[in-house]
Structure formats: structure tokens, C-alpha cells
Amino acid sequence: NPTNPRQVGNLDLPGNALDVAVVGSHVLVAASSGGLLVIDVANPASPRLAGQLVTSGSVVGVAVAGDLAYLAEYGSGLRVVDVSDPADPRPVGYARTPGLAWNVSVAGRWAYVADDDAGVQVIDVHDPTRPRLRGAAPTSGYAWGVAASGSSVFVAQSQAGLAILPAACDVSAAPPPRPVALGLRGYPNPFNPRVTLEFTLSGAAFTQVDVLDARGRLVRRLAAERRPAGPHALVWDGTDDRGQGVAAGVYLVRVRAGAQAAVRKVVLAK
């Protein structure tokens, strides 16, 4: 009943569940530090963990085509995994990307990776054991989500909204990643319990640093003051403005300084 959706099953998982894809009677979950999880949902009321692959990176996005899963590994790149045996997912190929790799979509021989400030990376996966970076399409905002359909690639680009690109965008040569506004970065990411936030001001400016939840609601204001030019660092300890610990999940750090603004996604792990 579309007017009254109800939950029929639930399963606690290791790591933080950030993305999902379906293949037959199994669900593939990108579980950050928990890696790739394969869940048997043949009985939706009683899902069970069938297999797991922990990789060297934090798995934040997943797409599937046939017996292959394509993983976006944060700060690392694209990993191809054979999931023909759900109990034993095996890595078969890898391609490093210049950005942070938040999400992935696959259409035919091409994988499209939402690569944060480096835009959308176009990777040839015709030979899944040797995926090759073929080009890139710059975006006006941080590329955090991507979906390929027909002749178009749709990109969620943070505060810059939706970008629509032609499929197989630019397969000439990947341009160097664009500089991030204010040089905003957070590390470690994912983090627990603290993340260090660094940014650089080109000149003295009134600076406001906020932590928002995934829906854009204010969680914590870390700074609201005039700051001098130069590098700055703040630490967020995973608490809200009342000093209460927040739930694990995705948060947005927003820095506004004069006419400049930057947003960076951070993940609080369990």
C-alpha cells in the first residue's frame, strides 16, 4: 500500500550503512568501515548476513551489474568485486581516483564515480580486472551522488544542485582536480569520536562554522567570529549545541567567510 508503507524486516549491521543495491534475492550494503555486506533477503521478514568483504578503504557507495559490484571507496577510488558467490565476495579490479569517491553508477562499459571536488570520473570497466580512468567531467559543486540512465548522467552536487551530463562525458583526458573553496577538509573521515576541520582564509573575515545533519538542520555551531587570514583548525567532538552526543551517520560541515563558502561531508562511525 503506497499510502501506508510499513517496515517488514530489520538487521543490525557492522559499520554504517551508507548505500544499497539489489541483486536477485540479495542486497549489497556499503557499510563504511564494515566494507561490503551481502544480505540474504529471500525472506524479507528475516534478513541475514550472507557474506562480507572488508577492503582497505571505507566503502561509501555501491552499484551492481550482473555478478559484479562496483564500490566507491572514500578517499581511494573504485573497486570491482565478484559477488557471484554471495558468501565469498572477491575483489577483482581497482582504479584510483583523484578525489574522494562518494558514489558510483554503472552503465554498459562505463562506471561513473562521484568524486567530490574532482567532479565525475569516467572509468572504462569493459575489462573488470583492469578498470581504467578514461576522463572526467568537472562539476560546479561537490559531486556526492551519481546515477546514469540512458544518454544522461545525473549528478547531485551539494549546494550547487543537480548537474546533467552526457553519458561517457569526456573520455579524452582527466583534468586535474579543482581546488576546494577555503581548502576545507576533515580528518579522519569517517571519524569517532573527533574530527579535525581545517580551512584557510585568504583575508580576515567574519567566519561561521556550522555542523548540519543530512537534512540541513543545525546540529552544532563551532565558530561565529572574525578570524585573521591564514590557516585555521577546529575540532568537532560529535556533540550538538546542548553537549549531547549525536547519532552515527553523515553530517555536513559548512564554513562561510565573507563572500566564500564551502561544505564538506563527514561521517561519524559507530
Side-chain angles (χ1 to χ4, degrees):
N1 183 353
T3 64
N4 185 31
R6 295 181 299 114
Q7 179 175 300
V8 297
N10 184 69
L11 182 64
D12 289 332
L13 300 173
N16 293 288
L18 300 177
D19 198 16
V20 63
V22 180
V23 51
S25 61
H26 291 85
V27 168
L28 308 180
V29 177
S32 60
S33 59
L36 173 68
L37 306 178
V38 184
I39 313 299
D40 185 340
V41 292
N43 179 1
S46 183
R48 65 177 185 85
L49 181 63
Q52 180 178 13
L53 173 67
V54 177
T55 67
S56 57
S58 181
V59 181
V60 295
V62 59
V64 65
D67 289 332
L68 297 174
Y70 299 82
L71 312 183
E73 293 187 1
Y74 178 82
S76 177
L78 174 75
R79 192 173 302 278
V80 185
V81 179
D82 183 344
V83 292
S84 57
D85 180 357
D88 186 26
R90 296 187 176 187
V92 295
Y94 171 78
R96 186 166 185 81
T97 62
L100 295 180
W102 275 112
N103 199 241
V104 59
S105 183
V106 178
R109 68 180 293 168
W110 303 108
Y112 302 91
V113 176
D115 213 27
D116 201 75
D117 59 299
V120 175
Q121 303 300 315
V122 184
I123 299 175
D124 187 342
V125 292
H126 178 69
D127 179 357
T129 66
R130 298 179 63 188
R132 294 183 297 159
L133 183 63
R134 291 292 303 273
T139 52
S140 56
Y142 299 103
W144 285 350
V146 61
S149 178
S151 61
S152 298
V153 178
F154 303 90
V155 186
Q157 46 178 4
S158 182
Q159 293 179 318
L162 175 71
I164 302 176
L165 310 173
C169 315
D170 168 12
V171 293
S172 53
R178 297 173 295 109
V180 181
L182 300 170
L184 176 60
R185 69 188 191 108
Y187 65 89
N189 193 14
F191 71 96
N192 186 344
R194 295 176 179 83
V195 59
T196 298
L197 307 167
E198 293 185 345
F199 58 94
T200 300
L201 301 182
S202 58
F206 183 83
T207 304
Q208 185 170 302
V209 182
D210 294 327
V211 178
L212 313 174
D213 66 14
R215 297 177 63 183
R217 298 173 298 190
L218 181 65
V219 173
R220 176 82 178 271
R221 178 151 292 164
L222 298 175
E225 60 195 5
R226 187 170 180 82
R227 289 186 167 231
H232 297 268
L234 295 169
V235 174
W236 180 44
D237 61 1
T239 62
D240 60 20
D241 275 336
R242 297 172 297 173
Q244 302 296 313
V246 300
V250 175
Y251 293 87
L252 306 177
V253 177
R254 182 180 64 196
V255 177
R256 292 186 287 193
Q260 289 187 298
V263 178
R264 173 66 70 190
K265 187 188 299 185
V266 295
V267 179
L268 173 57
K270 292 181 180 179

